[in-house]
Amino acid sequence: QVQLVESGGGLVQAGGSLRLSCAASGSIFSIFAMGWYRQAPGKQRELVAVITRGGVTNYADFVKGRFTISRDNAKNVVWLQMNSLKPEDTAVYYCNAATVPSTYWGQGTQVTVSS
């Protein structure tokens, strides 16, 4: 079992920045990748960014150049630095941990970007 706790969401004006954090606990040795997803009202959950234990990253096209994912394996923490935020970035952001054979989710943190 893996437990994930997110923090750092909030309300920000367009063009502003936020930093999300996700702390993992439990069977952390089994995690091979962690990522951030988001879900806006009426839309499906979508991938934002993912990072492997080795540090390989992948981003959705709509955040490339604006968001940065990073992790500290020793502290079992993943961050999502979000810059140049847009109103369309408004969503609940979820932390994800991938293991074999299970996937775990955090409770989500709301990010609201005002125009």
Side-chain angles (χ1 to χ4, degrees), residues 30-92:
S30 63
I31 300 172
F32 63 84
M34 294 185 70
W36 290 94
Y37 289 69
R38 71 185 188 186
Q39 188 167 17
K43 295 186 177 181
Q44 291 188 332
R45 192 171 297 188
E46 59 185 357
L47 173 69
V48 176
V50 64
I51 185 168
T52 69
R53 177 169 287 275
V56 177
T57 59
N58 189 37
Y59 295 90
D61 286 343
F62 53 78
V63 302
K64 285 182 178 177
R66 300 189 298 125
F67 292 9
T68 303
I69 189 170
S70 59
R71 68 186 291 174
D72 184 326
N73 289 333
K75 296 181 179 179
N76 306 309
V77 177
V78 172
W79 297 278
L80 184 68
Q81 178 65 44
M82 305 185 294
N83 299 327
S84 302
L85 283 161
K86 304 174 181 180
E88 51 264 43
D89 293 320
T90 296
V92 178

